Amino acid sequence: RLMNQRYASSLADLHRLSGLPKPTVCRILATLEHEGYVEHEGRNGIYRLASKVHELSMGYNEESQLIDLATPILSEATKRIKWPLALGTLEGASMTVRFSTMSQSPMAVQSTTLGKRHGLLRSAMGMAYLAFCSDRERDGLLSMAAREGDLGMDRERIEAKLKAVRARGYGLRFPEKAGDSATAALPIVHRGQVIAVIALTTFGSLMNERFVEQYRAELDEIIADISRALTRAHAGANA
C-alpha cells in the first residue's frame, strides 16, 4: 500500500513509513521482487511496483465491492431489528446469497444461508429482481429460466405476479408448510439498475404485508445507505 502511494520508494522510505525493521523490509522487498510484483533499480536503490500487481485486483470486481460495502450496513441493521438479513445477487437464472446475518441474529431459523441459490420465480429475492429489472433483462432471464425448465407457470401468470410485486415494492415468499420460514425481499437500485436484492427472513407464521411494513422504513434506509456507500466508492475511485 505504501509503494502504491508513490512512483518509487527507497528502503529508507519504507522503513520510516511502515515502522518495520529494515531487515524485515528487505526480506519483504526481496520476496516481492522474486515474485515479480516489485522492480529494484539497484543503481539508485529505488523500488517500484511492477505491472504484475494488476493481477492482484483481477478477482475483485463490482460485486465484491458491493458485498464489502453492504456487509457492515446489514450487520448493524440486524443489531437494531434483530431479524436476519441477506444480500443476494444474480447468478445465471438464479439468485445467490452473498452475505447473511443469520449467525448474528437471535431470531434466525438456521445457522446461515450463505451461498444458497434461489430460483427466480420460486423466491422472494428472484421475484424482487425480476419485477424491477429492465424489460430487456427480464425477457432474457425468463427465456433462460424456460430453457432450464424452471418457469412452472405461463407468462401471463408471471406478469400478474410481477405486477403485484411492483405495487407493494417487494417480493414475498410464504411458507410451504407449517414451521417453514418466510422472506420479504427488496431490490437495490443503483444508477437506474437493479444490482442486488436484500431480504429479511422471519417465521412463516408472522409473515404478512403488515409485518413487512413495520420494517419497511428500516429496509429502505439500508438500501439508501448501500447506494450512498457505492456512490462514495465510485467517486473516490474516479478522483
Side-chain angles (χ1 to χ4, degrees):
R1 178 176 57 82
L2 289 172
M3 294 185 72
N4 197 48
Q5 294 172 357
R6 51 185 52 78
Y7 172 73
S9 304
S10 68
L11 174 61
D13 290 334
L14 295 171
H15 162 62
R16 176 175 54 84
L17 294 169
S18 68
L20 295 171
K22 275 191 178 181
T24 300
V25 176
C26 280
R27 287 195 298 271
I28 292 172
L29 287 170
T31 301
L32 292 173
E33 183 181 4
H34 180 265
E35 296 296 330
Y37 295 107
V38 165
E39 293 182 356
H40 181 206
E41 297 179 5
R43 183 179 58 186
N44 300 319
I46 294 297
Y47 295 85
R48 60 183 178 82
L49 297 179
S51 61
K52 191 178 179 182
V53 297
H54 289 293
E55 296 178 7
L56 298 175
S57 64
M58 290 176 65
Y60 189 85
N61 53 25
E62 290 187 0
E63 183 175 292
S64 302
Q65 183 183 58
L66 170 65
I67 296 167
D68 281 351
L69 294 172
T71 292
I73 295 172
L74 292 172
S75 294
E76 283 300 315
T78 289
K79 288 180 182 178
R80 294 191 300 271
I81 68 174
K82 308 305 181 186
W83 294 106
L85 298 165
L87 176 77
T89 62
L90 185 69
E91 184 177 5
S94 302
M95 298 297 295
T96 299
V97 178
R98 303 300 186 186
F99 176 70
S100 168
T101 65
M102 283 278 185
S103 62
Q104 305 168 33
S105 169
M107 315 290 277
V109 295
Q110 54 186 302
S111 59
T112 185
T113 55
L114 187 64
K116 188 170 183 179
R117 291 169 63 95
H118 299 282
L120 290 175
L121 297 170
R122 294 179 172 85
S123 67
M125 278 189 170
M127 292 299 285
Y129 193 99
L130 281 175
F132 293 96
C133 68
S134 69
D135 293 343
R136 182 176 181 179
E137 184 178 13
R138 185 182 309 110
D139 288 341
L141 289 171
L142 290 175
S143 295
M144 190 186 303
R147 289 194 299 272
E148 296 178 3
D150 198 35
L151 278 186
M153 63 185 82
D154 59 54
R155 188 61 179 264
E156 185 175 340
R157 187 179 171 199
I158 291 171
E159 291 298 339
K161 284 182 170 289
L162 294 176
K163 184 177 179 180
V165 172
R166 291 188 203 100
R168 64 175 174 253
Y170 51 88
L172 281 176
R173 176 187 62 80
F174 292 104
E176 294 183 358
K177 62 181 185 298
D180 283 354
S181 64
T183 299
L186 289 77
I188 301 175
V189 181
H190 184 66
R191 295 179 176 176
Q193 180 180 356
V194 180
I195 58 171
V197 172
I198 63 165
L200 182 154
T201 298
T202 183
F203 307 122
S205 58
L206 293 180
M207 180 59 77
N208 54 44
E209 292 188 24
R210 178 182 295 180
F211 175 87
V212 179
E213 289 306 317
Q214 292 180 46
Y215 299 97
R216 182 63 186 275
E218 182 83 38
L219 294 170
D220 286 342
E221 187 59 28
I222 291 169
I223 292 170
D225 285 344
I226 293 172
S227 185
R228 283 191 288 266
L230 283 169
T231 298
R232 288 193 297 270
H234 292 162
N238 295 326

